Amino acid sequence: MQHPNVIDGPPDQRTAHVSRPQYASDARAATMEFLEELRPAVSAHTADSLLLLVSELVANALRHGGGITALRLSAGHDTLDIGVEDPSSMLPQIRPPDLTGRTGGFGWPMIQQLADAVAAHPVEGGGKEIRVSLSR
């Protein structure tokens, strides 16, 4: 049974769109359902990396971007792509990591390390989208 958020596309492309998850846990659950629908399935390592990337991107949007206006997941033949939109036009900033755990500073460098490509761009009507690609 196909998840209702997964839309059939060409044979090498499937896209899920989850609009406005309120919590990182909502985004992780949607990502797990998306991964369950992928054929061929991805490795456990790739699935874990995708889940971590989604979690960090969504947490950053919630914490620094004023919420989430869209979460998009897509899978091509060779890549998995994530798009997270938020209402803030402020681009992500690298901050010194806070080892006390109060202010973070670990997420954006981790995203850049895990992903094969990272881009940020403004969206029409305001805000920005962070796009991340990961090898499938």
Side-chain angles (χ1 to χ4, degrees):
M1 176 178 176
Q2 187 168 335
H3 185 272
N5 287 333
V6 178
I7 302 164
D8 277 328
D12 67 341
Q13 185 76 30
R14 288 182 177 259
T15 301
H17 178 102
V18 180
S19 182
R20 294 182 177 224
Q22 292 184 326
Y23 305 102
S25 60
D26 297 337
R28 282 191 300 274
T31 302
M32 289 173 56
E33 291 176 9
F34 174 72
L35 285 166
E36 289 171 4
E37 295 295 325
L38 288 180
R39 300 294 179 268
V42 298
S43 70
H45 175 75
T46 299
D48 288 345
S49 294
L50 185 71
L51 282 163
L52 184 55
L53 285 164
V54 167
S55 293
E56 287 298 325
L57 289 166
V58 167
N60 285 351
L62 291 169
R63 185 174 194 181
H64 306 290
I68 299 167
T69 53
L71 166 64
R72 290 182 187 81
L73 303 168
S74 63
H77 186 269
D78 296 323
T79 62
L80 297 172
D81 299 301
I82 306 163
V84 175
E85 292 181 20
D86 67 51
S88 172
S89 60
M90 183 178 277
L91 296 176
Q93 303 288 316
I94 293 182
R95 295 179 295 122
D98 177 3
L99 299 178
T100 67
R102 289 186 295 238
T103 62
F106 295 94
W108 188 241
M110 183 172 33
I111 289 166
Q112 293 177 319
Q113 186 70 25
L114 281 174
D116 294 328
V118 179
H121 60 85
V123 295
E124 192 172 319
K128 68 178 168 301
E129 179 182 32
I130 306 295
R131 286 188 161 175
V132 173
S133 292
L134 180 67
S135 293
R136 190 168 174 167

